[in-house]
């Protein structure tokens, strides 16, 4: 039985337990019977276990999200060497794009929103696809009068594969791109 949905997003389970706690609390206040208090204690223990499992277990989806966050941090820090550590050796197009862009501009801000991640553990190696909207703010390394500060926004689809227990970017696609 696959229970990864509990640690992927425990919100529904937490909400149900909180509702059960509230109902048991109402019954205890109304009747002052100890079994309702014991039930509240049991529900609180289950809630604690769910939250502990969520904290301790890192799912593949969470690992991909963490890889994206660390990659964005490396871009924001303008650290090309660190950026390249997130790329698979097979990510030739993405590697070339990263080197070109980071030699041309210095990133001043990056914001990602609407992140959706789908993991496919059945492939060998396991793969994942992340879709998100990103806004990049940057300045050109060689300043000219018309190019001082710029912004670029696009929707991205980013493909990953799990190699040696790390999620590495294998390819990316940009669409609905716009200069701001």
């Amino acid at each position: 039985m696959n229970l990864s949905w509990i640690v992927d997003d425990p919100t529904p389970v937490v909400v149900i337990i909180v509702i059960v706690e509230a109902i048991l609390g109402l019954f205890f206040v109304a009747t002052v019977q100890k079994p309702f208090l014991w039930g509240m204690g049991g529900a609180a223990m289950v809630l604690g276990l769910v939250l502990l499992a969520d904290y301790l277990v890192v799912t593949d989806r969470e690992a991909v999200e963490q890889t994206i966050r660390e990659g964005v941090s490396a871009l924001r820090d303008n650290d090309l060497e660190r950026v390249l550590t997130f790329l698979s050796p097979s990510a030739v197009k993405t590697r070339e794009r990263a080197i070109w862009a980071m030699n041309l501009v210095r990133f001043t801000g990056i914001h990602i929103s609407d992140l959706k991640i789908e993991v496919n553990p059945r492939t060998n190696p396991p793969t994942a696809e992340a879709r998100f909207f990103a806004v990049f703010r940057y300045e050109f390394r060689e300043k000219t009068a018309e190019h001082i500060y710029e912004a670029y926004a696009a929707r991205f689809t980013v493909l990953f594969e799990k190699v040696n227990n790390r999620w590495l970017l294998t390819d990316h696609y940009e669409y609905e791109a716009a200069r701001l």
Side-chain angles (χ1 to χ4, degrees):
M1 189 159 101
N2 186 356
L3 297 177
S4 67
W5 58 272
I6 290 176
V7 290
D8 254 348
D9 183 13
T11 306
V13 176
V14 169
V15 168
I16 290 170
I17 293 172
V18 168
I19 290 170
V20 167
E21 284 278 352
I23 292 169
L24 289 171
L26 289 173
F27 281 142
F28 177 73
V29 169
T31 64
V32 193
Q33 292 184 7
K34 284 187 180 178
F36 294 117
L37 196 57
W38 288 109
M40 287 178 66
M45 285 179 40
V46 171
L47 177 62
L49 289 173
V50 167
L51 294 176
L52 180 65
D54 179 50
Y55 176 75
L56 294 177
V57 176
V58 177
T59 64
D60 283 338
R61 191 194 65 70
E62 291 170 332
V64 169
E65 183 176 353
Q66 184 61 32
T67 298
I68 292 168
R69 302 276 179 226
E70 290 172 1
V72 166
S73 175
L75 278 172
R76 194 177 292 125
D77 293 342
N78 294 287
D79 187 344
L80 178 59
E81 293 305 315
R82 202 166 100 214
V83 167
L84 296 178
T85 65
F86 297 102
L87 304 180
S88 168
S90 66
V92 176
K93 179 182 86 167
T94 302
R95 182 178 309 280
E96 289 172 355
R97 173 87 184 218
I99 292 168
W100 170 79
M102 294 187 75
N103 284 326
L104 184 64
V105 301
R106 186 180 74 74
F107 292 103
T108 58
I110 301 170
H111 179 73
I112 287 183
S113 61
D114 196 25
L115 178 62
K116 292 177 179 59
I117 299 170
E118 293 179 21
V119 176
N120 186 354
R122 292 181 177 89
T123 58
N124 190 14
T127 58
E129 179 178 292
R131 294 177 183 269
F132 54 87
F133 180 76
V135 176
F136 298 87
R137 299 199 181 285
Y138 58 90
E139 60 186 17
F140 285 91
R141 291 191 182 275
E142 293 185 23
K143 294 180 176 52
T144 62
E146 67 270 357
H147 293 120
I148 298 174
Y149 295 101
E150 298 263 348
Y152 175 78
R155 293 201 168 278
F156 288 84
T157 298
V158 181
L159 306 177
F160 294 88
E161 68 182 6
K162 192 172 188 178
V163 178
N164 296 329
N165 217 21
R166 282 190 69 215
W167 286 96
L168 298 177
L169 189 148
T170 59
D171 207 352
H172 81 284
Y173 305 96
E174 301 170 36
Y175 50 100
E176 297 179 17
R179 290 212 186 290
L180 301 177

